[in-house]
């Protein structure tokens, strides 16, 4: 920050000015200082007794954090979108800016350990998956959030780990993150209206519905599912998708969640995040 704390405090005090032009100029000056200014703004918010100034500071903090988040998402994509955990962490930052990536990793590590102690060597993949299902859904009590299916919190990994309730894709993500630590070939599959995971090795492939307590099913079941939806089978409905595809779908779910709440400002901001992950493609061309 170019200003010292005393100068910054004096600058923030000008937000109280009734002259809109002066107030807007001050906001612009503060915003130009970048995201490093956030801790100082938070301190000034705590010390202010003017609700209008507090609101202006809140808006500036949010805008700075949002700009920083877009940059981080862009970097994640351009870096190869290698870490699914990092992608989910970035989405959590939108609603919970203090979310710590290491803390999320520790929580996933704990789930991994709870499952690892139950696994035995040389088990058939079906039996391995059944042990994961028992640990995740019976012992640890992860479950489908059927009562609030469209809640935005179902898309934030931080919230899902805390509540142990999620939607198909967030529960699948936890399943995949744990499987990755176990060294098991389990990946996400972009099925229409339902995100699932697949166990896929050279010898074996089957599917798992994390939203239904890890129900195991076959390719034939997917054929029937698509037929019921009057959809033509495509490879994308059977094969693993990328981390980037997963994050795009989580963002699309968030857009729909906010639109159902008539929170169009947040829906529009999530559309901006989706454009970052989609490489600048116009949102209207993406569809949900």
């Amino acid at each position: 920050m170019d200003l010292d704390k005393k100068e910054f405090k004096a600058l923030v005090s000008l937000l109280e000015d009734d002259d809109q032009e002066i107030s807007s100029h001050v906001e612009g000056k503060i915003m130009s200082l970048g995201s490093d200014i956030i801790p100082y703004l938070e301190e000034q918010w705590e010390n202010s007794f003017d609700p209008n100034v507090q609101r202006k500071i809140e808006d500036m903090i949010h805008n700075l954090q949002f700009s920083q988040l877009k940059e981080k998402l862009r970097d994640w994509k351009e870096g190869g979108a290698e870490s699914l955990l990092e992608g989910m962490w970035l989405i959590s930052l939108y609603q919970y800016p203090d979310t710590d990536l290491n803390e999320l990793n520790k929580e996933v590590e704990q789930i991994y350990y709870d499952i690892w102690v139950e696994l035995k060597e040389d088990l058939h993949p079906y039996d391995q998956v059944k042990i994961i299902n028992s640990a995740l859904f019976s012992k640890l009590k992860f479950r489908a959030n059927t009562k609030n299916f469209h809640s935005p919190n179902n898309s934030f990994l931080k919230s899902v780990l805390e509540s142990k309730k999620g939607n198909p894709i967030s529960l699948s993500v936890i399943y995949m993150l744990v499987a990755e630590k176990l060294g098991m070939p389990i990946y996400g599959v972009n099925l229409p209206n339902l995100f699932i995971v697949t166990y896929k090795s050279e010898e074996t492939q089957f599917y798992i519905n994390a939203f239904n307590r890890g129900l195991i099913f076959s390719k034939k079941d997917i054929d029937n599912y698509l037929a019921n939806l009057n959809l033509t089978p495509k490879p994308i409905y059977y094969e693993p998708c990328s981390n980037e595809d997963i994050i795009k779908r989580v963002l699309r779910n968030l857009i729909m969640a906010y639109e159902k709440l008539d929170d169009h400002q947040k829906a529009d901001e999530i559309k901006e995040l989706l454009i970052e992950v989609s490489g600048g493609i116009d949102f209207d061309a993406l569809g949900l």
Side-chain angles (χ1 to χ4, degrees):
M1 184 170 74
D2 296 332
L3 305 172
D4 62 30
K5 289 184 75 172
K6 190 174 180 181
E7 289 173 320
F8 183 67
K9 186 176 180 180
L11 183 63
V12 171
S13 70
L14 292 174
L15 291 171
E16 298 175 14
D17 200 299
D18 291 333
D19 188 315
Q20 186 62 43
E21 190 173 335
I22 292 174
S23 181
S24 295
H25 178 74
V26 170
E27 286 184 40
K29 172 64 177 174
I30 292 172
M31 294 292 288
S32 72
L33 297 171
S35 57
D36 290 344
I37 208 73
I38 291 173
Y40 300 97
L41 281 170
E42 289 173 337
E43 184 180 336
Q44 292 304 311
W45 184 92
E46 290 172 2
N47 294 328
S48 174
F49 297 100
D50 185 330
N52 288 327
V53 171
Q54 285 186 320
R55 179 182 51 75
K56 289 176 182 178
I57 291 174
E58 287 168 8
D59 288 344
M60 283 189 287
I61 290 173
H62 174 74
N63 290 335
L64 287 167
Q65 287 172 334
F66 184 64
S67 178
Q68 189 178 44
L69 176 54
K70 287 200 291 185
E71 189 177 327
K72 286 180 177 178
L73 260 177
R74 199 180 311 130
D75 290 345
W76 177 80
K77 174 195 163 58
E78 291 174 357
E82 291 182 7
S83 168
L84 178 57
L85 179 63
E86 185 180 347
M88 293 298 292
W89 165 66
L90 290 172
I91 291 176
S92 286
L93 288 179
Y94 176 75
Q95 187 66 30
Y96 303 103
D98 295 331
T99 305
D100 185 87
L101 177 58
N102 289 327
E103 285 301 313
L104 289 183
N105 189 48
K106 283 180 187 175
E107 291 185 56
V108 175
E109 284 274 0
Q110 185 58 55
I111 299 168
Y112 149 75
Y113 181 75
D114 288 339
I115 294 171
W116 175 79
V117 296
E118 304 276 347
L119 283 175
K120 300 175 181 65
E121 290 185 17
D122 302 325
L123 287 175
H124 188 277
Y126 273 75
D127 296 317
Q128 290 178 320
V129 164
K130 285 175 182 175
I131 289 172
I132 293 176
N133 291 344
S134 176
L136 260 185
F137 304 114
S138 296
K139 179 182 174 184
L140 297 175
K141 310 289 187 197
F142 279 92
R143 59 201 184 278
N145 192 354
T146 50
K147 286 185 179 177
N148 293 297
F149 183 80
H150 293 291
S151 168
N153 272 335
N154 290 330
S155 294
F156 300 122
L157 186 60
K158 171 186 169 67
S159 178
V160 175
L161 287 169
E162 287 174 359
S163 69
K164 298 195 173 182
K165 292 185 289 188
N167 59 17
I169 195 165
S170 59
L171 292 173
S172 293
V173 162
I174 291 170
Y175 210 105
M176 282 183 281
L177 292 173
V178 171
E180 182 181 28
K181 290 181 183 294
L182 290 167
M184 294 174 66
I186 290 178
Y187 314 99
V189 177
N190 246 330
L191 201 58
N193 300 337
L194 178 65
F195 194 90
I196 58 172
V197 295
T198 181
Y199 182 104
K200 183 177 183 180
S201 64
E202 288 184 9
E203 305 83 22
T204 308
Q205 183 173 17
F206 56 90
Y207 301 89
I208 306 156
N209 183 353
F211 196 65
N212 189 8
R213 298 175 61 84
L215 177 73
I216 296 171
F217 56 103
S218 67
K219 179 181 181 296
K220 181 66 177 173
D221 294 313
I222 293 183
D223 292 339
N224 294 335
Y225 174 80
L226 294 171
N228 286 334
L229 292 176
N230 293 317
L231 291 173
T232 304
K234 297 178 183 177
I236 190 176
Y237 301 150
Y238 301 89
E239 297 303 320
C241 62
S242 68
N243 290 340
E244 192 177 309
D245 288 333
I246 293 169
I247 295 303
K248 286 178 189 175
R249 185 153 177 172
V250 173
L251 290 170
R252 290 188 185 106
N253 283 345
L254 257 181
I255 291 166
M256 286 191 285
Y258 284 128
E259 286 180 344
K260 283 183 178 293
L261 293 172
D262 286 328
D263 193 337
H264 300 293
Q265 180 183 344
K266 286 189 174 180
D268 287 343
E269 286 184 332
I270 300 299
K271 288 176 186 178
E272 289 186 48
L273 298 182
L274 181 54
I275 287 171
E276 293 296 339
V277 181
S278 302
I281 300 170
D282 181 54
F283 174 76
D284 291 334
L286 294 169
L288 288 172

PDB file of all heavy atoms in Angstrom, residues 85 101-117 136 140 142 157 161 174 177-182:
ATOM      1  N   LEU A  85      -9.534 -30.090  -5.817  1.00  0.00           N
ATOM      2  CA  LEU A  85      -9.723 -29.476  -4.497  1.00  0.00           C
ATOM      3  C   LEU A  85      -9.514 -27.968  -4.574  1.00  0.00           C
ATOM      4  O   LEU A  85     -10.302 -27.196  -4.010  1.00  0.00           O
ATOM      5  CB  LEU A  85      -8.753 -30.091  -3.480  1.00  0.00           C
ATOM      6  CG  LEU A  85      -8.830 -29.511  -2.065  1.00  0.00           C
ATOM      7  CD1 LEU A  85     -10.189 -29.770  -1.438  1.00  0.00           C
ATOM      8  CD2 LEU A  85      -7.716 -30.083  -1.187  1.00  0.00           C
ATOM      9  N   LEU A 101      -7.474 -23.241   2.166  1.00  0.00           N
ATOM     10  CA  LEU A 101      -7.275 -24.442   1.350  1.00  0.00           C
ATOM     11  C   LEU A 101      -6.675 -25.577   2.175  1.00  0.00           C
ATOM     12  O   LEU A 101      -7.087 -26.736   2.043  1.00  0.00           O
ATOM     13  CB  LEU A 101      -6.366 -24.112   0.154  1.00  0.00           C
ATOM     14  CG  LEU A 101      -5.996 -25.267  -0.777  1.00  0.00           C
ATOM     15  CD1 LEU A 101      -7.232 -25.932  -1.356  1.00  0.00           C
ATOM     16  CD2 LEU A 101      -5.073 -24.785  -1.888  1.00  0.00           C
ATOM     17  N   ASN A 102      -5.723 -25.262   3.035  1.00  0.00           N
ATOM     18  CA  ASN A 102      -5.093 -26.303   3.853  1.00  0.00           C
ATOM     19  C   ASN A 102      -6.096 -26.944   4.805  1.00  0.00           C
ATOM     20  O   ASN A 102      -6.031 -28.153   5.070  1.00  0.00           O
ATOM     21  CB  ASN A 102      -3.912 -25.729   4.641  1.00  0.00           C
ATOM     22  CG  ASN A 102      -2.746 -25.396   3.731  1.00  0.00           C
ATOM     23  OD1 ASN A 102      -2.518 -26.065   2.729  1.00  0.00           O
ATOM     24  ND2 ASN A 102      -2.007 -24.359   4.064  1.00  0.00           N
ATOM     25  N   GLU A 103      -7.014 -26.127   5.335  1.00  0.00           N
ATOM     26  CA  GLU A 103      -8.032 -26.666   6.240  1.00  0.00           C
ATOM     27  C   GLU A 103      -8.964 -27.625   5.493  1.00  0.00           C
ATOM     28  O   GLU A 103      -9.342 -28.675   6.015  1.00  0.00           O
ATOM     29  CB  GLU A 103      -8.845 -25.534   6.886  1.00  0.00           C
ATOM     30  CG  GLU A 103      -8.109 -24.784   7.978  1.00  0.00           C
ATOM     31  CD  GLU A 103      -7.661 -25.685   9.115  1.00  0.00           C
ATOM     32  OE1 GLU A 103      -8.481 -26.499   9.597  1.00  0.00           O
ATOM     33  OE2 GLU A 103      -6.479 -25.602   9.505  1.00  0.00           O
ATOM     34  N   LEU A 104      -9.359 -27.241   4.264  1.00  0.00           N
ATOM     35  CA  LEU A 104     -10.196 -28.139   3.458  1.00  0.00           C
ATOM     36  C   LEU A 104      -9.462 -29.454   3.204  1.00  0.00           C
ATOM     37  O   LEU A 104     -10.049 -30.535   3.305  1.00  0.00           O
ATOM     38  CB  LEU A 104     -10.555 -27.490   2.121  1.00  0.00           C
ATOM     39  CG  LEU A 104     -11.547 -26.321   2.125  1.00  0.00           C
ATOM     40  CD1 LEU A 104     -11.825 -25.880   0.694  1.00  0.00           C
ATOM     41  CD2 LEU A 104     -12.855 -26.689   2.813  1.00  0.00           C
ATOM     42  N   ASN A 105      -8.183 -29.352   2.891  1.00  0.00           N
ATOM     43  CA  ASN A 105      -7.391 -30.548   2.617  1.00  0.00           C
ATOM     44  C   ASN A 105      -7.305 -31.446   3.859  1.00  0.00           C
ATOM     45  O   ASN A 105      -7.396 -32.678   3.757  1.00  0.00           O
ATOM     46  CB  ASN A 105      -5.989 -30.163   2.150  1.00  0.00           C
ATOM     47  CG  ASN A 105      -5.209 -31.362   1.650  1.00  0.00           C
ATOM     48  OD1 ASN A 105      -5.704 -32.159   0.867  1.00  0.00           O
ATOM     49  ND2 ASN A 105      -3.984 -31.502   2.134  1.00  0.00           N
ATOM     50  N   LYS A 106      -7.157 -30.819   5.039  1.00  0.00           N
ATOM     51  CA  LYS A 106      -7.107 -31.596   6.290  1.00  0.00           C
ATOM     52  C   LYS A 106      -8.415 -32.350   6.524  1.00  0.00           C
ATOM     53  O   LYS A 106      -8.409 -33.500   6.976  1.00  0.00           O
ATOM     54  CB  LYS A 106      -6.836 -30.663   7.476  1.00  0.00           C
ATOM     55  CG  LYS A 106      -5.392 -30.216   7.603  1.00  0.00           C
ATOM     56  CD  LYS A 106      -5.236 -29.292   8.805  1.00  0.00           C
ATOM     57  CE  LYS A 106      -3.839 -28.689   8.846  1.00  0.00           C
ATOM     58  NZ  LYS A 106      -3.708 -27.688   9.941  1.00  0.00           N
ATOM     59  N   GLU A 107      -9.534 -31.695   6.218  1.00  0.00           N
ATOM     60  CA  GLU A 107     -10.832 -32.346   6.404  1.00  0.00           C
ATOM     61  C   GLU A 107     -10.982 -33.538   5.462  1.00  0.00           C
ATOM     62  O   GLU A 107     -11.491 -34.590   5.847  1.00  0.00           O
ATOM     63  CB  GLU A 107     -11.964 -31.342   6.195  1.00  0.00           C
ATOM     64  CG  GLU A 107     -12.052 -30.281   7.289  1.00  0.00           C
ATOM     65  CD  GLU A 107     -13.254 -29.375   7.121  1.00  0.00           C
ATOM     66  OE1 GLU A 107     -14.379 -29.890   7.059  1.00  0.00           O
ATOM     67  OE2 GLU A 107     -13.059 -28.148   7.053  1.00  0.00           O
ATOM     68  N   VAL A 108     -10.537 -33.366   4.209  1.00  0.00           N
ATOM     69  CA  VAL A 108     -10.588 -34.481   3.248  1.00  0.00           C
ATOM     70  C   VAL A 108      -9.635 -35.594   3.692  1.00  0.00           C
ATOM     71  O   VAL A 108      -9.950 -36.790   3.589  1.00  0.00           O
ATOM     72  CB  VAL A 108     -10.256 -33.993   1.827  1.00  0.00           C
ATOM     73  CG1 VAL A 108     -10.181 -35.177   0.854  1.00  0.00           C
ATOM     74  CG2 VAL A 108     -11.298 -32.984   1.333  1.00  0.00           C
ATOM     75  N   GLU A 109      -8.466 -35.208   4.206  1.00  0.00           N
ATOM     76  CA  GLU A 109      -7.489 -36.189   4.705  1.00  0.00           C
ATOM     77  C   GLU A 109      -8.091 -37.031   5.830  1.00  0.00           C
ATOM     78  O   GLU A 109      -7.860 -38.239   5.909  1.00  0.00           O
ATOM     79  CB  GLU A 109      -6.242 -35.462   5.240  1.00  0.00           C
ATOM     80  CG  GLU A 109      -5.306 -34.937   4.165  1.00  0.00           C
ATOM     81  CD  GLU A 109      -4.308 -35.974   3.695  1.00  0.00           C
ATOM     82  OE1 GLU A 109      -4.349 -37.112   4.200  1.00  0.00           O
ATOM     83  OE2 GLU A 109      -3.491 -35.645   2.819  1.00  0.00           O
ATOM     84  N   GLN A 110      -8.868 -36.392   6.700  1.00  0.00           N
ATOM     85  CA  GLN A 110      -9.482 -37.113   7.811  1.00  0.00           C
ATOM     86  C   GLN A 110     -10.502 -38.133   7.300  1.00  0.00           C
ATOM     87  O   GLN A 110     -10.576 -39.261   7.797  1.00  0.00           O
ATOM     88  CB  GLN A 110     -10.161 -36.142   8.780  1.00  0.00           C
ATOM     89  CG  GLN A 110     -10.731 -36.795  10.029  1.00  0.00           C
ATOM     90  CD  GLN A 110      -9.691 -37.554  10.837  1.00  0.00           C
ATOM     91  OE1 GLN A 110      -8.655 -36.984  11.219  1.00  0.00           O
ATOM     92  NE2 GLN A 110      -9.939 -38.841  11.096  1.00  0.00           N
ATOM     93  N   ILE A 111     -11.291 -37.719   6.299  1.00  0.00           N
ATOM     94  CA  ILE A 111     -12.251 -38.654   5.695  1.00  0.00           C
ATOM     95  C   ILE A 111     -11.500 -39.829   5.063  1.00  0.00           C
ATOM     96  O   ILE A 111     -11.877 -40.997   5.218  1.00  0.00           O
ATOM     97  CB  ILE A 111     -13.131 -37.943   4.645  1.00  0.00           C
ATOM     98  CG1 ILE A 111     -13.947 -36.823   5.299  1.00  0.00           C
ATOM     99  CG2 ILE A 111     -14.060 -38.937   3.952  1.00  0.00           C
ATOM    100  CD1 ILE A 111     -14.621 -35.900   4.298  1.00  0.00           C
ATOM    101  N   TYR A 112     -10.427 -39.498   4.353  1.00  0.00           N
ATOM    102  CA  TYR A 112      -9.594 -40.524   3.724  1.00  0.00           C
ATOM    103  C   TYR A 112      -9.100 -41.525   4.772  1.00  0.00           C
ATOM    104  O   TYR A 112      -9.177 -42.749   4.577  1.00  0.00           O
ATOM    105  CB  TYR A 112      -8.408 -39.864   3.011  1.00  0.00           C
ATOM    106  CG  TYR A 112      -7.157 -40.706   2.959  1.00  0.00           C
ATOM    107  CD1 TYR A 112      -7.052 -41.785   2.079  1.00  0.00           C
ATOM    108  CD2 TYR A 112      -6.079 -40.437   3.805  1.00  0.00           C
ATOM    109  CE1 TYR A 112      -5.898 -42.569   2.042  1.00  0.00           C
ATOM    110  CE2 TYR A 112      -4.936 -41.214   3.777  1.00  0.00           C
ATOM    111  CZ  TYR A 112      -4.853 -42.279   2.901  1.00  0.00           C
ATOM    112  OH  TYR A 112      -3.726 -43.063   2.878  1.00  0.00           O
ATOM    113  N   TYR A 113      -8.608 -41.009   5.898  1.00  0.00           N
ATOM    114  CA  TYR A 113      -8.074 -41.900   6.926  1.00  0.00           C
ATOM    115  C   TYR A 113      -9.174 -42.799   7.506  1.00  0.00           C
ATOM    116  O   TYR A 113      -8.964 -43.991   7.717  1.00  0.00           O
ATOM    117  CB  TYR A 113      -7.419 -41.087   8.058  1.00  0.00           C
ATOM    118  CG  TYR A 113      -6.833 -41.967   9.138  1.00  0.00           C
ATOM    119  CD1 TYR A 113      -5.641 -42.662   8.914  1.00  0.00           C
ATOM    120  CD2 TYR A 113      -7.489 -42.134  10.358  1.00  0.00           C
ATOM    121  CE1 TYR A 113      -5.112 -43.497   9.885  1.00  0.00           C
ATOM    122  CE2 TYR A 113      -6.965 -42.972  11.333  1.00  0.00           C
ATOM    123  CZ  TYR A 113      -5.781 -43.648  11.101  1.00  0.00           C
ATOM    124  OH  TYR A 113      -5.270 -44.482  12.059  1.00  0.00           O
ATOM    125  N   ASP A 114     -10.359 -42.208   7.749  1.00  0.00           N
ATOM    126  CA  ASP A 114     -11.479 -42.985   8.288  1.00  0.00           C
ATOM    127  C   ASP A 114     -11.862 -44.135   7.368  1.00  0.00           C
ATOM    128  O   ASP A 114     -12.332 -45.185   7.830  1.00  0.00           O
ATOM    129  CB  ASP A 114     -12.705 -42.084   8.511  1.00  0.00           C
ATOM    130  CG  ASP A 114     -12.526 -41.141   9.693  1.00  0.00           C
ATOM    131  OD1 ASP A 114     -11.682 -41.433  10.555  1.00  0.00           O
ATOM    132  OD2 ASP A 114     -13.225 -40.115   9.736  1.00  0.00           O
ATOM    133  N   ILE A 115     -11.668 -43.939   6.065  1.00  0.00           N
ATOM    134  CA  ILE A 115     -11.987 -44.987   5.090  1.00  0.00           C
ATOM    135  C   ILE A 115     -10.817 -45.951   4.918  1.00  0.00           C
ATOM    136  O   ILE A 115     -10.992 -47.168   4.860  1.00  0.00           O
ATOM    137  CB  ILE A 115     -12.383 -44.358   3.734  1.00  0.00           C
ATOM    138  CG1 ILE A 115     -13.699 -43.579   3.890  1.00  0.00           C
ATOM    139  CG2 ILE A 115     -12.512 -45.419   2.648  1.00  0.00           C
ATOM    140  CD1 ILE A 115     -14.076 -42.752   2.690  1.00  0.00           C
ATOM    141  N   TRP A 116      -9.611 -45.409   4.887  1.00  0.00           N
ATOM    142  CA  TRP A 116      -8.398 -46.216   4.674  1.00  0.00           C
ATOM    143  C   TRP A 116      -8.263 -47.323   5.716  1.00  0.00           C
ATOM    144  O   TRP A 116      -7.891 -48.461   5.390  1.00  0.00           O
ATOM    145  CB  TRP A 116      -7.172 -45.304   4.697  1.00  0.00           C
ATOM    146  CG  TRP A 116      -5.870 -46.036   4.606  1.00  0.00           C
ATOM    147  CD1 TRP A 116      -5.290 -46.554   3.488  1.00  0.00           C
ATOM    148  CD2 TRP A 116      -4.989 -46.329   5.702  1.00  0.00           C
ATOM    149  NE1 TRP A 116      -4.091 -47.158   3.809  1.00  0.00           N
ATOM    150  CE2 TRP A 116      -3.886 -47.034   5.163  1.00  0.00           C
ATOM    151  CE3 TRP A 116      -5.018 -46.068   7.073  1.00  0.00           C
ATOM    152  CZ2 TRP A 116      -2.833 -47.480   5.957  1.00  0.00           C
ATOM    153  CZ3 TRP A 116      -3.969 -46.503   7.860  1.00  0.00           C
ATOM    154  CH2 TRP A 116      -2.887 -47.206   7.304  1.00  0.00           C
ATOM    155  N   VAL A 117      -8.584 -47.023   6.974  1.00  0.00           N
ATOM    156  CA  VAL A 117      -8.438 -48.031   8.031  1.00  0.00           C
ATOM    157  C   VAL A 117      -9.430 -49.183   7.844  1.00  0.00           C
ATOM    158  O   VAL A 117      -9.231 -50.274   8.405  1.00  0.00           O
ATOM    159  CB  VAL A 117      -8.621 -47.415   9.449  1.00  0.00           C
ATOM    160  CG1 VAL A 117      -7.525 -46.412   9.742  1.00  0.00           C
ATOM    161  CG2 VAL A 117      -9.994 -46.774   9.610  1.00  0.00           C
ATOM    162  N   LEU A 136     -18.555 -43.493   4.245  1.00  0.00           N
ATOM    163  CA  LEU A 136     -19.006 -42.132   3.918  1.00  0.00           C
ATOM    164  C   LEU A 136     -20.444 -41.879   4.349  1.00  0.00           C
ATOM    165  O   LEU A 136     -20.746 -40.849   4.965  1.00  0.00           O
ATOM    166  CB  LEU A 136     -18.898 -41.887   2.409  1.00  0.00           C
ATOM    167  CG  LEU A 136     -17.707 -41.110   1.853  1.00  0.00           C
ATOM    168  CD1 LEU A 136     -17.900 -40.901   0.356  1.00  0.00           C
ATOM    169  CD2 LEU A 136     -17.495 -39.792   2.550  1.00  0.00           C
ATOM    170  N   LEU A 140     -19.881 -41.786   8.579  1.00  0.00           N
ATOM    171  CA  LEU A 140     -19.633 -40.335   8.608  1.00  0.00           C
ATOM    172  C   LEU A 140     -20.882 -39.503   8.341  1.00  0.00           C
ATOM    173  O   LEU A 140     -20.856 -38.282   8.466  1.00  0.00           O
ATOM    174  CB  LEU A 140     -18.536 -39.971   7.601  1.00  0.00           C
ATOM    175  CG  LEU A 140     -17.160 -40.593   7.898  1.00  0.00           C
ATOM    176  CD1 LEU A 140     -16.171 -40.271   6.782  1.00  0.00           C
ATOM    177  CD2 LEU A 140     -16.620 -40.112   9.238  1.00  0.00           C
ATOM    178  N   PHE A 142     -22.587 -38.579   5.608  1.00  0.00           N
ATOM    179  CA  PHE A 142     -22.790 -37.691   4.454  1.00  0.00           C
ATOM    180  C   PHE A 142     -24.087 -38.108   3.774  1.00  0.00           C
ATOM    181  O   PHE A 142     -24.402 -39.297   3.675  1.00  0.00           O
ATOM    182  CB  PHE A 142     -21.620 -37.782   3.478  1.00  0.00           C
ATOM    183  CG  PHE A 142     -20.436 -36.951   3.881  1.00  0.00           C
ATOM    184  CD1 PHE A 142     -19.411 -37.491   4.651  1.00  0.00           C
ATOM    185  CD2 PHE A 142     -20.355 -35.609   3.527  1.00  0.00           C
ATOM    186  CE1 PHE A 142     -18.323 -36.724   5.050  1.00  0.00           C
ATOM    187  CE2 PHE A 142     -19.279 -34.828   3.915  1.00  0.00           C
ATOM    188  CZ  PHE A 142     -18.259 -35.386   4.677  1.00  0.00           C
ATOM    189  N   LEU A 157     -17.831 -26.336  -1.124  1.00  0.00           N
ATOM    190  CA  LEU A 157     -17.224 -27.481  -0.452  1.00  0.00           C
ATOM    191  C   LEU A 157     -17.082 -27.246   1.048  1.00  0.00           C
ATOM    192  O   LEU A 157     -17.312 -28.161   1.850  1.00  0.00           O
ATOM    193  CB  LEU A 157     -15.854 -27.784  -1.072  1.00  0.00           C
ATOM    194  CG  LEU A 157     -15.155 -29.038  -0.560  1.00  0.00           C
ATOM    195  CD1 LEU A 157     -15.995 -30.288  -0.820  1.00  0.00           C
ATOM    196  CD2 LEU A 157     -13.776 -29.186  -1.199  1.00  0.00           C
ATOM    197  N   LEU A 161     -18.769 -29.921   3.653  1.00  0.00           N
ATOM    198  CA  LEU A 161     -17.968 -30.659   4.634  1.00  0.00           C
ATOM    199  C   LEU A 161     -18.457 -30.405   6.060  1.00  0.00           C
ATOM    200  O   LEU A 161     -18.382 -31.287   6.916  1.00  0.00           O
ATOM    201  CB  LEU A 161     -16.486 -30.279   4.505  1.00  0.00           C
ATOM    202  CG  LEU A 161     -15.763 -30.829   3.271  1.00  0.00           C
ATOM    203  CD1 LEU A 161     -14.402 -30.174   3.101  1.00  0.00           C
ATOM    204  CD2 LEU A 161     -15.612 -32.349   3.358  1.00  0.00           C
ATOM    205  N   ILE A 174     -16.444 -34.964  -3.204  1.00  0.00           N
ATOM    206  CA  ILE A 174     -15.848 -35.524  -1.983  1.00  0.00           C
ATOM    207  C   ILE A 174     -15.445 -36.979  -2.225  1.00  0.00           C
ATOM    208  O   ILE A 174     -14.351 -37.414  -1.835  1.00  0.00           O
ATOM    209  CB  ILE A 174     -16.828 -35.398  -0.793  1.00  0.00           C
ATOM    210  CG1 ILE A 174     -16.982 -33.923  -0.411  1.00  0.00           C
ATOM    211  CG2 ILE A 174     -16.343 -36.224   0.402  1.00  0.00           C
ATOM    212  CD1 ILE A 174     -18.083 -33.629   0.576  1.00  0.00           C
ATOM    213  N   LEU A 177     -12.259 -36.924  -4.356  1.00  0.00           N
ATOM    214  CA  LEU A 177     -11.081 -36.442  -3.628  1.00  0.00           C
ATOM    215  C   LEU A 177     -10.537 -37.519  -2.692  1.00  0.00           C
ATOM    216  O   LEU A 177      -9.327 -37.707  -2.576  1.00  0.00           O
ATOM    217  CB  LEU A 177     -11.431 -35.174  -2.837  1.00  0.00           C
ATOM    218  CG  LEU A 177     -11.740 -33.926  -3.664  1.00  0.00           C
ATOM    219  CD1 LEU A 177     -12.238 -32.799  -2.769  1.00  0.00           C
ATOM    220  CD2 LEU A 177     -10.519 -33.471  -4.458  1.00  0.00           C
ATOM    221  N   VAL A 178     -11.451 -38.226  -2.038  1.00  0.00           N
ATOM    222  CA  VAL A 178     -11.035 -39.311  -1.141  1.00  0.00           C
ATOM    223  C   VAL A 178     -10.450 -40.475  -1.944  1.00  0.00           C
ATOM    224  O   VAL A 178      -9.408 -41.039  -1.587  1.00  0.00           O
ATOM    225  CB  VAL A 178     -12.230 -39.779  -0.280  1.00  0.00           C
ATOM    226  CG1 VAL A 178     -11.870 -41.038   0.488  1.00  0.00           C
ATOM    227  CG2 VAL A 178     -12.656 -38.676   0.678  1.00  0.00           C
ATOM    228  N   ALA A 179     -11.121 -40.818  -3.055  1.00  0.00           N
ATOM    229  CA  ALA A 179     -10.640 -41.917  -3.905  1.00  0.00           C
ATOM    230  C   ALA A 179      -9.240 -41.622  -4.449  1.00  0.00           C
ATOM    231  O   ALA A 179      -8.397 -42.520  -4.540  1.00  0.00           O
ATOM    232  CB  ALA A 179     -11.615 -42.150  -5.053  1.00  0.00           C
ATOM    233  N   GLU A 180      -9.007 -40.358  -4.789  1.00  0.00           N
ATOM    234  CA  GLU A 180      -7.688 -39.964  -5.295  1.00  0.00           C
ATOM    235  C   GLU A 180      -6.618 -40.234  -4.245  1.00  0.00           C
ATOM    236  O   GLU A 180      -5.542 -40.751  -4.549  1.00  0.00           O
ATOM    237  CB  GLU A 180      -7.703 -38.477  -5.668  1.00  0.00           C
ATOM    238  CG  GLU A 180      -6.400 -37.987  -6.257  1.00  0.00           C
ATOM    239  CD  GLU A 180      -6.433 -36.496  -6.593  1.00  0.00           C
ATOM    240  OE1 GLU A 180      -7.182 -35.746  -5.923  1.00  0.00           O
ATOM    241  OE2 GLU A 180      -5.699 -36.086  -7.510  1.00  0.00           O
ATOM    242  N   LYS A 181      -6.911 -39.893  -2.996  1.00  0.00           N
ATOM    243  CA  LYS A 181      -5.947 -40.133  -1.919  1.00  0.00           C
ATOM    244  C   LYS A 181      -5.759 -41.627  -1.664  1.00  0.00           C
ATOM    245  O   LYS A 181      -4.699 -42.075  -1.216  1.00  0.00           O
ATOM    246  CB  LYS A 181      -6.389 -39.415  -0.644  1.00  0.00           C
ATOM    247  CG  LYS A 181      -6.283 -37.891  -0.733  1.00  0.00           C
ATOM    248  CD  LYS A 181      -6.700 -37.214   0.548  1.00  0.00           C
ATOM    249  CE  LYS A 181      -6.651 -35.691   0.423  1.00  0.00           C
ATOM    250  NZ  LYS A 181      -5.283 -35.166   0.236  1.00  0.00           N
ATOM    251  N   LEU A 182      -6.795 -42.411  -1.934  1.00  0.00           N
ATOM    252  CA  LEU A 182      -6.710 -43.871  -1.776  1.00  0.00           C
ATOM    253  C   LEU A 182      -6.030 -44.544  -2.969  1.00  0.00           C
ATOM    254  O   LEU A 182      -5.779 -45.746  -2.951  1.00  0.00           O
ATOM    255  CB  LEU A 182      -8.116 -44.462  -1.612  1.00  0.00           C
ATOM    256  CG  LEU A 182      -8.837 -44.148  -0.295  1.00  0.00           C
ATOM    257  CD1 LEU A 182     -10.316 -44.507  -0.405  1.00  0.00           C
ATOM    258  CD2 LEU A 182      -8.199 -44.886   0.878  1.00  0.00           C
TER     259      LEU A 182
END
